[in-house]
Amino acid sequence: AALAAMAFLIDLSCPSTWAFNQDVGGRYVSAAAGWGNMLGNLGAAASPVVLGAVSAAHGWDGAFALCAGAFAVAALCGLAMDASRPLGERSA
């Protein structure tokens, strides 16, 4: 039940993630979404190895704390983005 609730809540964020990509990406929305998708897939590929090592060293509490920290860092990075100025309008 806990895994089902977690999967539901993660999927619940998908529409806002796509909207965020559109707001930040502007006319480069494909590149913004593509990079996000690529990095997400790399993280999904690395997570079994990393979580296996963390859970072996620190137990499942450590693995849960690592995942919670990753979500917190992602949230802070999202808050740091200014979606009112799309990528094409940002100065170098």
Side-chain angles (χ1 to χ4, degrees):
L3 288 175
M6 180 256 336
F8 172 76
L9 291 172
I10 288 175
D11 287 344
L12 190 64
S13 70
C14 286
S16 61
T17 302
W18 284 106
F20 183 78
N21 283 332
Q22 290 174 343
D23 288 344
V24 171
R27 61 182 273 212
Y28 302 105
V29 64
S30 298
W35 275 99
N37 192 38
M38 180 190 68
L39 293 173
N41 286 329
L42 287 174
S47 68
V49 175
V50 172
L51 289 178
V54 169
S55 66
H58 302 287
W60 287 108
D61 288 342
F64 177 78
L66 178 66
C67 290
F71 275 113
V73 168
L76 290 174
C77 288
L79 288 173
M81 294 292 296
D82 182 8
S84 67
R85 290 184 10 211
L87 289 174
E89 298 176 7
R90 297 173 194 265
S91 61

